[in-house]
Amino acid sequence: MRRTALLTAAAALVAGVLAWPAGAAPSAPAAPAAFVHPGVTVSKGQLDFARSQVTAGAQPWKSAFDQMMASRYADLNRTPRPRAVVECGSYSNPNHGCTDEREDAIAAYTHALAWYVTRDERHARKAIELMDAWSAVIRDHTNSNAPLQTGWAGSTWPRAAEIIKYTYTGTWANSGRFATMLRTVYLPEIINGSNSNGNWELSMMEAAVGISVFLEDKASYDKAMAKFRTRTAAYVYLESDGALPKTVPSQNLDTRDKIVKYWQGQSTFVNGLSQETCRDFTHTGYGLSAISHVAETSRIQGQDLYGTDVGERLRHGLGFHAKYELGTAVPSWLCGGSLKPGLGPVTEVGHNALANRLGHAMTNTGTLNQRGRPAGSNNLFVAWETLTHGDNPA
């Protein structure tokens, strides 16, 4: 057996294919002994800092808050639009409740943030109304984009729920029903991951990690975090990976040709290149955002991934794409000399953690970050990150 294993490993090295062997994924953080709340993407300390800055009229937080409050998501007259079955096909065809679900989740999170900053109970009650409306009705997600849809909406719901459950001084009678919704409708759809493009699985694991925190489910947290570590290593290339990017074992990307095809035809690999760079920056931004969100949640829960390869991949991934987003000429070896920019409002969390907290020089990311302030929402699962994470020391 040992000789066979050695021969198999040697063959893989000869082929230049560097995968994580089965059962040997990068070590994932164990769930905390006790979960920290609120603890999904944003902590109480971060909320307190943001609130203090807005109250003082300090920038950029005051303008970020004003932008949020002027958005449709902060409307106190918003009517929830829940469905029993949300059906989402490729490229939103069909779109039966998909936009409604994602945007009601963002609205719940928006009102939760508005409650925290203003202490106006109307916002807390609106967040509860939105969460209760969906937990009373939804049973399933269907069609080809169901896993991604569940990941996007499932990333946002627990952010809202954590703030309301652990900071609102009133009552949320149906919080248990909301937890049951997350456990029975969302978690089974996402916890086993995806072999589609990497942004799918990263968003799904973001949702699974956040849901696990809210449910205080250590087994699901550990499972999601392990999948996240393996996928992150397979999504952003580092030169230390070797001649070829890491792969996810279940995808059987066991030759150079298969890997190059999966990487959108890109055959030259450099620090920060993403599996979806040559597709477009928007989908790449989804993946980088999910990486930053999971790293931030993990830090709040007591284990800091920013000092691991996750942080290195995020730092190089943001810097590489920011450079071209800012207009650097595209070399011929990169995606045939043509890129599709549009990274989105996804830089605040990673930049704050890596540049501000850890002191890494991130000139391009910092420039792009400043240019995008105040960061709004991508209307999918990213929202208001200048307010929550911009230059936030907590």
Side-chain angles (χ1 to χ4, degrees), residues 41-43 46 292 295-297 299-300 304 306 348-360 362 388-394:
T41 310
V42 60
S43 68
Q46 289 169 320
S292 70
E296 196 72 359
T297 296
R299 186 187 76 91
I300 295 166
D304 198 337
Y306 290 115
E348 286 281 16
V349 176
H351 181 266
N352 187 54
L354 295 163
N356 294 340
R357 284 198 210 113
L358 296 183
H360 291 295
M362 297 179 71
T388 56
H389 290 83
D391 302 332
N392 193 320

Side-chain angles (χ1 to χ4, degrees), residues 18-26 229-231 233-234 241 246-249 309 313:
L18 296 174
W20 297 116
R229 292 295 301 272
T230 300
R231 175 60 71 173
D241 294 338
K246 304 283 189 184
T247 65
V248 175
D309 78 294
R313 293 177 198 279

Side-chain angles (χ1 to χ4, degrees), residues 194-203 230-238 241 244-248 251 253 258-288 291 313 316-318 320-321 334-335 339 343:
S194 166
N195 287 326
S196 185
N197 280 303
N199 81 85
W200 277 50
E201 186 162 85
L202 288 167
S203 288
T230 300
R231 175 60 71 173
T232 298
Y235 193 69
V236 180
Y237 176 80
L238 292 178
D241 294 338
L244 290 171
K246 304 283 189 184
T247 65
V248 175
Q251 292 190 264
L253 299 173
K258 287 181 182 179
I259 292 174
V260 168
K261 182 179 180 181
Y262 186 61
W263 281 62
Q264 317 289 329
Q266 178 68 16
S267 58
T268 301
F269 302 100
V270 297
N271 277 333
L273 185 80
S274 161
Q275 180 251 314
E276 297 187 270
T277 300
C278 295
R279 180 185 184 186
D280 59 59
F281 278 23
T282 301
H283 286 88
T284 301
Y286 300 163
L288 293 175
I291 292 170
R313 293 177 198 279
H316 283 290
L318 287 172
F320 180 84
H321 294 88
L334 178 59
C335 308
L339 295 171
L343 201 59

Side-chain angles (χ1 to χ4, degrees), residues 357-380:
R357 284 198 210 113
L358 296 183
H360 291 295
M362 297 179 71
T363 304
N364 290 319
T365 305
T367 299
L368 184 63
N369 199 51
Q370 287 290 335
R371 182 178 294 185
R373 284 183 170 176
S377 175
N378 70 355
N379 305 314
L380 298 171

Side-chain angles (χ1 to χ4, degrees), residues 1-25:
M1 283 294 290
R2 185 172 182 275
R3 183 172 182 272
T4 301
L6 287 171
L7 287 172
T8 301
L13 287 171
V14 169
V17 177
L18 296 174
W20 297 116

